[in-house]
Amino acid sequence: MDVQCEELLRMIAAAVSRVQNESGGPGAIPLGISNRHIHLSQQDLEKLFGAGYQLNNIKDLVQPGQYACKETLTICGPKGAIEKVRVLGPVRKQTQVEILAGDTFKLGVKGEVRTLIGPKGSVQIPEGVMIAQRHIHMTCEDAARFGVTDGEIVDLECEGTRAGLLHDVVIRANNNSRLECHLDT
């Protein structure tokens, strides 16, 4: 998907989220678009960017403590590569790559990307590549209010002139979250 199309989708999602927040009431859930991204372990961060390297926050994300980093990487598969994939911070215990369903065709994989390329080196990852399932982040208090539990699979109804129903949306409830539904592009 080209950069202009992705930016247009982000703008649409932001507009939908604003409308939901302004008119949604107690059952409305803000909508966010989740693009491909990478979470790195400190060990892999240093292999890719150099010893002692620290991530550079350029924008805080909706989820508390999460941020987009200045750093980008190239992800490689047997048939192709995708450059400038954004790293998200902070570092994690294990490296994880989240790609879009459409990326599997470009990369020639079924979710098994194994190589990340950075300015100082590359990393082979044995696991941790995924196509994120639609999900709703929420606090445990939100979960109680909506009558759902962490890990539960729900249907999400979108009302209005472009109404629709999204099946198989997983609930991610914990007290380090903020209410937001994540759909990928």
Side-chain angles (χ1 to χ4, degrees):
M1 180 174 294
D2 68 27
V3 175
Q4 289 177 333
C5 185
E6 289 178 6
E7 182 60 28
L8 178 61
L9 283 169
R10 277 191 284 279
M11 289 169 41
I12 291 168
V16 168
S17 184
R18 278 194 306 277
V19 169
Q20 286 178 328
N21 288 334
E22 292 166 4
S23 65
I29 298 172
L31 174 66
I33 299 297
S34 181
N35 203 349
R36 67 182 71 90
H37 59 273
I38 301 168
H39 300 279
L40 293 172
S41 67
Q42 185 64 41
Q43 179 181 4
D44 287 345
L45 175 67
E46 292 185 14
K47 285 181 186 174
L48 294 162
F49 291 96
Y53 193 87
Q54 297 294 310
L55 294 172
N56 295 285
N57 178 341
I58 59 170
K59 179 184 177 188
D60 288 335
L61 302 177
V62 171
Q63 295 308 309
Q66 302 290 311
Y67 53 90
C69 301
K70 176 184 86 171
E71 293 76 14
T72 62
L73 296 170
T74 299
I75 55 177
C76 295
K79 289 188 176 179
I82 300 175
E83 297 178 339
K84 298 181 180 175
V85 179
R86 184 72 52 203
V87 174
L88 300 185
V91 293
R92 292 195 174 178
K93 288 186 233 175
Q94 182 177 341
T95 294
Q96 178 179 307
V97 178
E98 292 188 32
I99 61 175
L100 308 176
D103 291 343
T104 62
F105 300 105
K106 179 174 177 94
L107 296 168
V109 299
K110 294 180 182 172
E112 68 267 359
V113 174
R114 295 289 181 252
T115 306
L116 301 175
I117 300 172
K120 302 280 184 178
S122 64
V123 171
Q124 299 291 320
I125 54 174
E127 58 186 19
V129 177
M130 59 183 280
I131 299 168
Q133 183 175 0
R134 296 175 183 142
H135 58 279
I136 302 172
H137 291 281
M138 61 179 60
T139 64
C140 296
E141 185 179 314
D142 289 328
R145 182 168 54 94
F146 284 104
V148 296
T149 58
D150 184 50
E152 185 175 345
I153 305 296
V154 300
D155 293 337
L156 183 64
E157 183 177 0
C158 302
E159 298 175 346
T161 57
R162 302 290 244 161
L165 186 62
L166 299 173
H167 298 286
D168 301 323
V169 181
V170 68
I171 300 297
R172 293 189 181 162
N174 63 65
N175 287 324
N176 296 318
S177 292
R178 184 170 166 197
L179 186 61
E180 184 179 43
C181 176
H182 284 177
L183 307 177
D184 73 26
T185 56

